[in-house]
């Protein structure tokens, strides 16, 4: 008969624990949808920043290619400059 006295009490505690578990699970599931929303927003922002970054790098690479082309042209001009100066001032080298 001692068991009959503890069974309802134990059952009440079990019911309370299960109710708390269900309540916590509902709160957790509610937070999951908020986390999914935040994750989607962060993913969208990440893709936007990646697109902007890719565009920026493409512009930088195009400008660098033009700079390299101009530097090459200037280098070739500088290589020809001594001879052009000699020709301009009428300098004749030794045969």
């Amino acid at each position: 008969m001692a068991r009959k006295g503890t069974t309802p009490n134990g059952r009440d505690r079990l019911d309370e624990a299960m109710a708390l578990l269900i309540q916590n699970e509902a709160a957790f599931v509610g937070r999951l949808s908020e986390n999914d929303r935040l994750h989607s927003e962060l993913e969208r922002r990440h893709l936007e920043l990646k697109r902007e970054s890719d565009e920026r790098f493409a512009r930088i690479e195009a400008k660098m290619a033009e700079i390299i082309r101009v530097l090459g042209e200037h280098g070739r001009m500088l290589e020809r400059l001594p001879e052009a100066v000699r020709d301009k001032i009428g300098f004749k080298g030794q045969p």
Side-chain angles (χ1 to χ4, degrees):
M1 288 225 171
R3 265 188 178 277
K4 285 187 180 181
T6 59
T7 302
N9 186 27
R11 179 69 178 173
D12 290 342
R13 287 181 32 212
L14 179 61
D15 288 344
E16 288 174 10
M18 288 180 66
L20 182 60
L21 178 64
I22 290 168
Q23 183 181 13
N24 288 341
E25 184 178 12
F28 175 75
V29 169
R31 286 188 178 137
L32 278 179
S33 64
E34 177 63 13
N35 284 343
D36 287 346
R37 187 191 67 75
L38 288 173
H39 181 266
S40 294
E41 175 62 22
L42 289 173
E43 181 69 15
R44 183 198 63 76
R45 182 68 178 138
H46 167 74
L47 292 174
E48 178 183 341
L49 289 173
K50 183 173 181 340
R51 180 189 54 77
E52 291 173 4
S53 176
D54 289 346
E55 289 173 0
R56 185 172 296 125
F57 279 120
R59 285 192 307 271
I60 290 168
E61 288 175 349
K63 288 178 181 180
M64 288 297 296
E66 177 64 12
I67 290 167
I68 290 167
R69 185 193 65 75
V70 169
L71 285 174
E73 184 179 321
H74 288 174
R76 287 186 297 280
M77 290 170 68
L78 287 172
E79 288 172 357
R80 294 188 307 262
L81 185 60
E83 187 63 34
V85 169
R86 281 188 207 105
D87 289 347
K88 185 74 172 175
I89 64 173
F91 180 77
K92 303 283 186 205
Q94 295 180 357

